[in-house]
Amino acid sequence: MTFAALADPTRRAILARLAKGEATVLELAEPFSISLPAISRHLKVLEEAGLLIRGRDAQRRPCRLRVEGLAPVSHWVEHTREAWDARLDRLESFLQSQQATKGADSDDDRTP
Amino acid sequence: MTFAALADPTRRAILARLAKGEATVLELAEPFSISLPAISRHLKVLEEAGLLIRGRDAQRRPCRLRVEGLAPVSHWVEHTREAWDARLDRLESFLQSQQATKGADSDDDRTP
């Protein structure tokens, strides 16, 4: 859900704006050439993904970034990278062990 | 493009599998109950997003994770978090300065 919410560039731009401070729907809509209903739909997706909180002030309903909502993304990327690093480490160990075996085998062939 | 590629759970599962080592299309398709053409479409999206490399071996064409392709995601998340942290720092400084002013104003009112 978080990744799907972040898949849209307008939604990422909205979050980047909110990272600098809360804003009303009108303020968020201003830099984009899209309608208010379209902005509201984006905000709903972000809210459902746990990336945005709407204020309780009935008039303004300011939007605020929910930065904890980004954690699943960081976790997934870190987890994938760690698995990849572990694989590279195993590969390196294997190549070193091969090299050691080869070195032991060809001790007499060494050139100075 | 990277975020859109990662928005699909099957594609994330494929990348998580590839983080453990390269695999053929058949091997990747095995745990999913979807057709080979569907898997191939997912692989194409991942390849276009720079997250996957296809091997040159014409028979097997093994797939490999391109871990550098995840960098835009980490960068975006980090950048957004940093902007948020900077905002919180400014807010904290402001509150502390308010507190200091208030403390100076009410020095005589202090209770022991």
Side-chain angles (χ1 to χ4, degrees), chain A residues 106-112:
Chain A
S106 61
D107 258 1
D108 300 335
D109 307 336
R110 266 192 222 147
T111 49

Side-chain angles (χ1 to χ4, degrees), chain A residues 2-69:
Chain A
T2 318
F3 278 104
L6 295 177
D8 182 276
T10 302
R11 288 199 289 268
R12 289 201 299 280
I14 289 172
L15 293 181
R17 164 62 188 84
L18 290 178
K20 294 175 190 167
E22 63 174 39
T24 63
V25 178
L26 273 175
E27 286 165 348
L28 289 174
E30 209 249 307
F32 304 106
S33 55
I34 56 176
S35 68
L36 276 182
I39 286 283
S40 290
R41 278 195 295 277
H42 283 312
L43 297 181
K44 194 158 184 278
V45 173
L46 292 171
E47 200 175 2
E48 286 174 355
L51 289 161
L52 183 143
I53 302 167
R54 304 293 298 267
R56 276 161 302 181
D57 175 340
Q59 295 299 305
R60 297 175 61 242
R61 300 216 64 202
C63 300
R64 196 151 49 84
L65 175 67
R66 191 173 162 272
V67 77
E68 313 90 281

